[in-house]
Amino acid sequence: MNKLKELMQKDFEEFQKTGKIQRAKDLTKATDTHFNHSEYPMYFTGNPDAKFVLVHLNPKQKDSLEEAYQGEAKFSNFEDYYNFHRNFGKVHYGETSERTHKSPFDHKQIRFIKPFNVIKFDDSKDVFYNLEKVMDEKFQLELVPFGSDKFTTATVRASAIETYVDILLETITTKERDYIIFCGKIFEKVLAKYIVSKEDFEFNLPKIDGTTAKSLSKFSKITLEINGKKINAGIAQSFAQQGLNMVEYGKKCHELYNRDLCTKQPLCSRHTTKP
């Protein structure tokens, strides 16, 4: 976490001084995809020591075309900025918060993570209790910390974000983890040079109404080799799929993640293995 924290502080101090971050401008130019250089970046939320790691592409944020930040400073120093993200759940959903933050995405994460049994949710308490826990008791990382309305992944070259991938993986591997889940198909491309084995699954999930979904959902179990160390991880390609039964998807991803890499007794007719 030290290297990421150093990078965060460098970007933060540049932003406080100039109202913009040059790295974000450079990335926009390199990828032909807009990233906000004049808004606060978000590198992570939650507990850097957590056993469960969830990785997303970048923060969902309205595109800003301003040359420099136009608002008032939200943080007096880097420590305030860091602690805000470390305690993101408590700030927005804790007992002393105003609880005005509304995010369907955070509810979605509860449904997905619950089957992994790594966070002790309690449905007997108010909804904010679980929302706080899902934010602060996992480690959520963004591949790119700069927000945007859209991330046009199809045209992004892996080499353009290679440095972001390197520091992401280094941050993850500083601690022992039970689960590492990358959300989005693009991670097949950006992690390609680290993947030493890959097992792909496609399946039809039960819908909330009890019927079976016609569209296939996908998940891949992968082994990454990073600095000579092999770690297990998963790619949840269907995480952002509209209308997905997230509870059932979480259950299936948990089941497949804990399965040995082999071709014996496939869990579905479309199960394949890619060495």
Side-chain angles (χ1 to χ4, degrees):
M1 185 67 181
N2 288 341
K3 284 192 177 181
L4 178 62
K5 198 170 182 179
E6 288 174 6
L7 183 61
M8 288 173 60
Q9 185 163 1
K10 182 179 179 181
D11 285 347
F12 175 81
E13 290 174 354
E14 179 187 358
F15 187 82
Q16 290 288 84
K17 183 178 179 180
T18 67
K20 55 189 174 183
I21 299 176
Q22 186 61 43
R23 282 202 317 132
K25 296 184 73 172
D26 293 343
L27 187 62
T28 293
K29 185 176 180 180
T31 60
D32 291 324
T33 297
H34 176 82
F35 295 102
N36 289 336
H37 62 268
S38 57
E39 296 290 341
Y40 281 99
M42 177 183 285
Y43 304 80
F44 82 99
T45 57
N47 181 6
D49 296 334
K51 294 295 187 180
F52 190 98
V53 178
L54 198 64
V55 184
H56 295 290
L57 288 173
N58 75 317
K60 182 72 172 178
Q61 199 177 71
K62 185 178 179 181
D63 286 349
S64 172
L65 302 180
E66 301 290 346
E67 177 59 23
Y69 182 62
Q70 300 297 305
E72 296 182 2
K74 296 180 180 179
F75 309 98
S76 58
N77 53 47
F78 176 71
E79 185 177 2
D80 287 346
Y81 175 74
Y82 180 88
N83 288 335
F84 172 82
H85 293 95
R86 169 61 185 90
N87 301 290
F88 194 88
K90 183 177 181 180
V91 170
H92 290 97
Y93 301 121
E95 291 182 358
T96 60
S97 71
E98 295 182 0
R99 292 179 168 177
T100 56
H101 183 71
K102 296 181 180 180
S103 174
F105 183 76
D106 294 346
H107 288 275
K108 176 179 179 178
Q109 293 191 97
I110 294 174
R111 296 194 296 274
F112 177 74
I113 293 173
K114 204 177 257 190
F116 287 83
N117 297 313
V118 290
I119 298 176
K120 293 183 179 180
F121 296 112
D122 189 342
D123 293 333
S124 69
K125 299 186 179 181
D126 64 57
V127 65
F128 298 106
Y129 176 85
N130 286 342
L131 286 167
E132 179 181 352
K133 290 181 79 69
V134 80
M135 298 307 301
D136 289 348
E137 294 189 16
K138 74 175 190 312
F139 189 28
Q140 180 174 319
L141 285 159
E142 307 292 336
L143 171 62
V144 174
F146 313 117
S148 63
D149 187 53
K150 293 180 180 179
F151 193 152
T152 309
T153 59
T155 58
V156 174
R157 292 175 289 106
S159 59
I161 53 176
E162 188 171 9
T163 57
Y164 292 84
V165 176
D166 289 344
I167 196 158
L168 173 77
L169 294 177
E170 184 169 329
T171 301
I172 292 171
T173 54
T174 56
K175 299 289 181 179
E176 293 295 325
R177 315 290 185 180
D178 289 340
Y179 295 101
I180 304 165
I181 306 289
F182 298 89
C183 299
K185 184 174 175 58
I186 189 177
F187 285 105
E188 295 180 327
K189 179 167 65 173
V190 300
L191 296 173
K193 77 173 188 177
Y194 298 98
I195 296 175
V196 294
S197 63
K198 183 169 180 281
E199 193 173 16
D200 298 328
F201 301 92
E202 295 180 330
F203 41 85
N204 300 96
L205 288 173
K207 295 169 67 175
I208 295 174
D209 64 6
T211 61
T212 301
K214 293 181 180 180
S215 59
L216 288 167
S217 297
K218 299 180 180 181
F219 177 80
S220 295
K221 180 172 180 177
I222 60 175
T223 300
L224 301 171
E225 186 168 354
I226 304 164
N227 297 325
K229 181 181 179 180
K230 291 183 179 180
I231 61 170
N232 292 327
I235 301 176
Q237 295 94 332
S238 301
F239 188 89
Q241 185 177 317
Q242 294 295 319
L244 190 69
N245 185 334
M246 193 53 65
V247 172
E248 293 298 328
Y249 187 56
K251 287 180 181 178
K252 196 68 175 179
C253 291
H254 172 260
E255 176 186 345
L256 297 171
Y257 195 106
N258 288 289
R259 169 191 173 86
D260 290 335
L261 282 170
C262 65
T263 56
K264 296 178 182 178
Q265 297 179 339
L267 298 179
C268 66
S269 61
R270 298 179 65 93
H271 164 254
T272 60
T273 299
K274 295 182 180 180

